[in-house]
């Protein structure tokens, strides 16, 4: 099955074994962006994630949201200790087996 489509539909069609054709009613830049988004998508796994640093401004994050079409970006360079981290540290401190 094939049809003229945009990036989101092309991703879903590819996951089901189909083929999506980017239509020519878009500019060349828009077509390239759509193809880039489809090629970046790999069965739900993001091989090259777009990440933010703690110094990224809200304005920069909004620009990325507009550019890529999603707004959930991991922030790197931050450490948030969890219960498991504290448990592991206590086991090391008291020389307990793990």
């Amino acid at each position: 099955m094939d049809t003229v489509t945009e990036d989101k539909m092309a991703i879903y069609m590819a996951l089901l074994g189909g083929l999506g054709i980017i239509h020519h009613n878009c500019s060349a830049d828009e077509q390239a962006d759509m193809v880039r988004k489809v090629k970046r998508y790999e069965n739900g796994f993001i091989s090259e994630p777009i990440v933010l640093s703690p110094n990224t401004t809200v304005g920069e994050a909004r620009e990325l949201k507009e550019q890529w079409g999603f707004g959930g970006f991991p922030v790197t360079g931050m450490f948030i200790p969890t219960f498991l981290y504290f448990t592991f540290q206590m086991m090391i401190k008291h020389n307990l087996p793990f």
Side-chain angles (χ1 to χ4, degrees), residues 85-98:
Y85 171 79
F86 288 115
T87 303
F88 185 68
Q89 292 300 316
M90 291 300 290
M91 292 174 78
I92 290 173
K93 180 178 179 181
H94 296 288
N95 201 23
L96 298 172
F98 52 89

Side-chain angles (χ1 to χ4, degrees), residues 2 19 23 63 68 76 87:
D2 64 33
L19 174 69
H23 56 78
E63 288 175 11
W68 293 104
T76 60
T87 303

Side-chain angles (χ1 to χ4, degrees), residues 5-72:
T5 183
E6 291 183 354
D7 56 323
K8 290 181 183 179
M9 181 58 80
I11 289 170
Y12 292 122
M13 290 176 66
L15 290 173
L16 296 172
L19 174 69
I21 308 297
I22 303 297
H23 56 78
H24 66 83
N25 293 339
C26 300
S27 70
D29 288 337
E30 290 174 323
Q31 290 177 6
D33 285 340
M34 284 190 246
V35 170
R36 195 174 298 113
K37 287 177 185 177
V38 173
K39 289 180 118 357
R40 277 181 73 89
Y41 192 92
E42 293 184 13
N43 294 328
F45 295 99
I46 302 172
S47 59
E48 296 177 31
I50 300 167
V51 296
L52 306 179
S53 77
N55 301 326
T56 303
T57 65
V58 172
E60 292 169 336
R62 285 185 176 166
E63 288 175 11
L64 287 171
K65 180 181 178 184
E66 289 296 318
Q67 178 183 356
W68 293 104
F70 56 87

